[in-house]
Amino acid sequence: MRQAAMVRADVAALLFLGAFFGFQFIVTPYLQELRGWSSLQTALALLVMGCDAVLAPTLTPRLVSRYGNSRVVVGGFVLAILAYGLFLPVSADWSYAAMFPSLIIAGTAFALAYGPLTIAATESVAREEQGLAGGLLYTFTQFGSAVGISAVTAVYGIAAAGTDGSPGAVLDAYRTALLTGGHGGAGDLDRRRRPARFQACRTPIGPACRCARGPRRALPGTATPARGQPLDPACGGAARRPAA
């Protein structure tokens, strides 16, 4: 079960990163080749997607603490699909104000999904295996990025081949490629939730206590340890209940 949860998180990260970077890759030639924007103008236009650098350490931890990893990840995936959907009607004369909602929603989606996916991929394994789990996660994310960019590039090339090269035909090819990236916005998510205010139990479960997703509770007929006191030795005795 633990390995299954890790694999689900890894696969979800692969799909999400593939869609995210595929979206950015398609938006870039749209702005530069079709619209004739300079590299600087394109960079400034996409700068808003960097909002995740602000939201990830401020908003995301609060949401995870309140709603759990799974719900926040699902929210990120939904926002990503919404961002791609809003960009699909793109035209050759769209103003930046028309593009802005898609770009900022995509950046917000990354902030909500990526951090909780990292937690989900590593929290379900033993402490001594978390380095391996982290390395596996980053392998999946890098592979997903490469596959996502390759997929949208291939789809765009196939869709644009044989056309007259008119702006309308190029836009249709861009939309087809965006649909490919949007399909990566849905993945199998880890539905389990572990509140952040309680430490994960990494010790064997003994007959006198259990490891729960919530306050540590004693089984019937046993005493519940006070806050800050060691757990029953049957659970290893090493983990402590966090202070209030």
Side-chain angles (χ1 to χ4, degrees), residues 82-107:
L82 175 63
Y84 306 152
L86 289 176
F87 206 82
L88 281 177
V90 63
S91 65
D93 58 354
W94 256 21
S95 65
Y96 181 68
M99 307 176 207
F100 185 82
S102 294
L103 300 179
I104 194 168
I105 290 174

Side-chain angles (χ1 to χ4, degrees), residues 21-122:
F21 286 109
F23 174 76
Q24 291 186 71
F25 184 81
I26 287 298
V27 172
T28 300
Y30 162 74
L31 294 176
Q32 291 186 303
E33 296 179 6
L34 188 64
R35 302 294 301 274
W37 290 21
S38 67
S39 298
L40 178 60
Q41 287 175 314
T42 302
L44 292 176
L46 296 179
L47 188 62
V48 66
M49 296 183 71
C51 65
D52 66 283
V54 176
L55 297 178
T58 56
L59 176 63
T60 304
R62 297 180 182 179
L63 294 178
V64 170
S65 179
R66 182 170 182 178
Y67 299 108
N69 282 333
S70 296
R71 293 181 180 178
V72 178
V73 170
V74 170
F77 273 57
V78 170
L79 287 181
I81 295 173
L82 175 63
Y84 306 152
L86 289 176
F87 206 82
L88 281 177
V90 63
S91 65
D93 58 354
W94 256 21
S95 65
Y96 181 68
M99 307 176 207
F100 185 82
S102 294
L103 300 179
I104 194 168
I105 290 174
T108 304
F110 188 88
L112 295 184
Y114 188 71
L117 281 173
T118 303
I119 298 172
T122 56

Side-chain angles (χ1 to χ4, degrees), residues 114-242:
Y114 188 71
L117 281 173
T118 303
I119 298 172
T122 56
E123 73 168 356
S124 60
V125 300
R127 182 173 301 176
E128 60 272 14
E129 296 178 345
Q130 288 187 352
L132 177 62
L136 186 61
L137 171 68
Y138 290 121
T139 299
F140 269 77
T141 58
Q142 294 299 315
F143 184 71
S145 302
V147 170
I149 293 174
S150 300
V152 297
T153 302
V155 171
Y156 169 73
I158 294 172
T163 64
D164 57 4
S166 64
V170 173
L171 276 174
D172 288 340
Y174 284 145
R175 294 189 187 104
T176 304
L178 280 174
L179 285 173
T180 303
H183 288 157
D188 186 17
L189 304 178
D190 182 359
R191 297 293 182 181
R192 296 186 302 170
R193 168 179 154 180
R194 190 193 307 272
R197 54 181 178 157
F198 296 105
Q199 298 173 354
C201 180
R202 305 295 184 188
T203 56
I205 301 178
C209 63
R210 65 180 60 166
C211 298
R213 296 184 182 92
R216 301 183 187 274
R217 303 181 183 277
L219 292 178
T222 63
T224 302
R227 293 186 179 276
Q229 297 301 316
L231 295 176
D232 189 281
C235 277
R240 292 177 178 270
R241 183 193 299 271

